[in-house]
Amino acid sequence: MTTSPHDTVLAMMARGCEFLGTEYAIMGGAMSWISERNLVSAISNAGGFGVIACGAMEPEMLDAEIAETTKRTDKPFGVNLITMHPKLDELIDVCAKHDVGHVVLAGGLPPGKAIEKIKGYGAKLICFAPALALAKKLQRSNVDALVIEGMEAGGHIGPVATSILAQEILPEIGKELPVFVAGGIGKGAAITAALEMGASGVQLGTRFVCATECIAHENFKKAFIRAPARDATISVQIDPRLPVIPVRALKNKATESFNRKQVEVAGLLDKGEIEMGEAQLQIEHYWAGALKRAVIDGDVENGSVMAGQSVGMVKSEEPVAEIIRTLMDGAALTVEERRARTG
């Protein structure tokens, strides 16, 4: 008996579902100011896997966020921590206190001590791999799963496209570890394609911004709904001495403002008034403040409207459950159409 297209998709993502403890192997991308208690719990309640974006939160803030999320869902969810956070050790302690089952480390190669501490309290560790060599290194470091995120994604990005990373990494690592593909995924057909290449699941961020449960300002959501894919552009590095991780966001006045900020910080470096570490910190603080202005205050001209290129596929505001249902239906339809073509 031929299995239904929906069952076929579920079978392809079975490994990811088992790893996450979810109905669907669909992770929510961790977006600062957006991936908080309301959206995270909604994704988990709808059968996906919500992930709290800790970002620059202090330990007590993360403590409260996890507690509030737990009140809203009894389903699994994770916490995304930034490796460069000065209080990473304390943040891991907060996750351990709440027995968070999955921790995602992002923003650079995770320190060995952090890996040991997270796995030591019993959590599953997920890390980002922007290159095959790093994926293999993380595998040797005993991480439990990987996310490969291409440059089509929103926010801080790497230099390589999702399609290339998937071709490079999945054949080498996909059988060894659960791998979740991210960056530019907006429809079910892309989910099916990733699963067929050997992924255990996917991660989406941009697609969930216009969820009814998302707390982002109405202006922020309207900007997403209006924007075509080409408007999600990458920030420019002005001074080669000042390494800037590229950020993908919708074009606006903040884009020009960021360029001016780089010139200002480079000038301070020239005068010897700040060290390189402080210079990079100032750049990071710029993005944190600019993102909050857009997401929370609704200033989409002077704030940073971080968005992936899949923003062109975001057409309306709708509940998380409906978004996930549409994605799964689209994935199943792709399976059905391929069966029809092959007879």
Side-chain angles (χ1 to χ4, degrees):
M1 181 184 294
T2 305
T3 56
S4 74
H6 275 90
D7 286 343
T8 298
V9 175
L10 289 173
M12 286 193 290
M13 57 171 56
R15 186 184 187 189
C17 292
E18 182 181 1
F19 175 78
L20 298 171
T22 56
E23 187 178 353
Y24 310 117
I26 297 176
M27 295 177 62
M31 301 170 283
S32 292
W33 302 107
I34 291 173
S35 300
E36 48 74 72
R37 62 193 72 170
N38 294 289
L39 181 59
V40 170
S41 60
I43 292 173
S44 292
N45 285 333
F49 186 79
V51 180
I52 294 172
C54 176
M57 285 184 192
E58 290 294 311
E60 59 271 17
M61 294 169 66
L62 179 62
D63 186 38
E65 201 59 47
I66 294 172
E68 288 298 324
T69 304
T70 304
K71 289 178 184 178
R72 291 162 171 78
T73 184
D74 58 0
K75 303 291 179 62
F77 64 87
V79 173
N80 179 296
L81 303 177
I82 307 299
T83 56
M84 66 180 74
H85 197 297
K87 295 183 179 178
L88 178 61
D89 201 52
E90 293 171 54
L91 294 170
I92 295 171
D93 286 337
V94 172
C95 292
K97 169 189 169 184
H98 289 277
D99 199 24
V100 173
H102 299 72
V103 174
V104 183
L105 285 182
L109 195 64
K113 182 182 174 185
I115 293 175
E116 290 173 14
K117 190 165 187 175
I118 290 166
K119 293 185 65 73
Y121 88 76
K124 293 175 180 176
L125 175 60
I126 307 170
C127 290
F128 283 81
L132 177 58
L134 185 54
K136 289 182 174 180
K137 182 175 178 61
L138 289 167
Q139 183 186 6
R140 291 193 298 271
S141 298
N142 206 26
V143 306
D144 297 294
L146 298 174
V147 175
I148 54 175
E149 182 177 70
M151 66 181 298
E152 299 94 324
H156 291 84
I157 57 170
V160 183
T162 302
S163 58
I164 303 302
L165 289 176
Q167 291 177 76
E168 276 190 325
I169 296 175
L170 288 173
E172 298 274 347
I173 304 292
K175 292 179 182 176
E176 307 298 324
L177 293 175
V179 178
F180 297 84
V181 172
I185 296 176
K187 292 190 176 180
I191 295 177
T192 300
L195 295 171
E196 288 178 337
M197 289 181 72
S200 294
V202 294
Q203 176 184 285
L204 294 86
T206 298
R207 188 71 183 83
F208 288 120
V209 168
C210 288
T212 309
E213 297 90 343
C214 177
I215 65 163
H217 196 282
E218 182 183 1
N219 293 347
F220 194 85
K221 292 183 180 182
K222 284 180 177 177
F224 268 56
I225 293 168
R226 286 194 303 262
R230 65 179 177 272
D231 281 0
T233 59
I234 303 173
S235 59
V236 177
Q237 180 176 303
I238 300 296
D239 191 314
R241 295 171 310 149
L242 191 60
V244 173
I245 299 173
V247 170
R248 188 179 294 283
L250 299 184
K251 289 186 294 185
N252 62 3
K253 290 178 183 176
T255 309
E256 300 164 20
S257 173
F258 176 58
N259 293 340
R260 289 195 297 273
K261 179 66 178 178
Q262 289 186 75
V263 172
E264 173 196 324
V265 172
L268 294 174
L269 271 175
D270 286 338
K271 297 172 185 175
E273 294 181 15
I274 58 173
E275 299 292 330
M276 182 59 74
E278 171 62 22
Q280 291 174 320
L281 200 59
Q282 283 198 27
I283 295 295
E284 282 305 307
H285 284 164
Y286 168 87
W287 281 120
L291 183 60
K292 184 182 180 183
R293 277 198 301 278
V295 174
I296 304 300
D297 302 334
D299 186 352
V300 295
E301 275 304 316
N302 300 297
S304 176
V305 187
M306 292 187 185
Q309 290 183 312
S310 61
V311 70
M313 290 175 261
V314 179
K315 301 298 184 185
S316 62
E317 186 174 6
E318 54 189 335
V320 164
E322 187 59 34
I323 293 172
I324 290 181
R325 189 178 304 114
T326 300
L327 289 168
M328 291 300 295
D329 286 347
L333 179 61
T334 303
V335 170
E336 188 175 357
E337 288 174 342
R338 288 180 185 175
R339 283 180 184 173
R341 285 198 300 271
T342 57

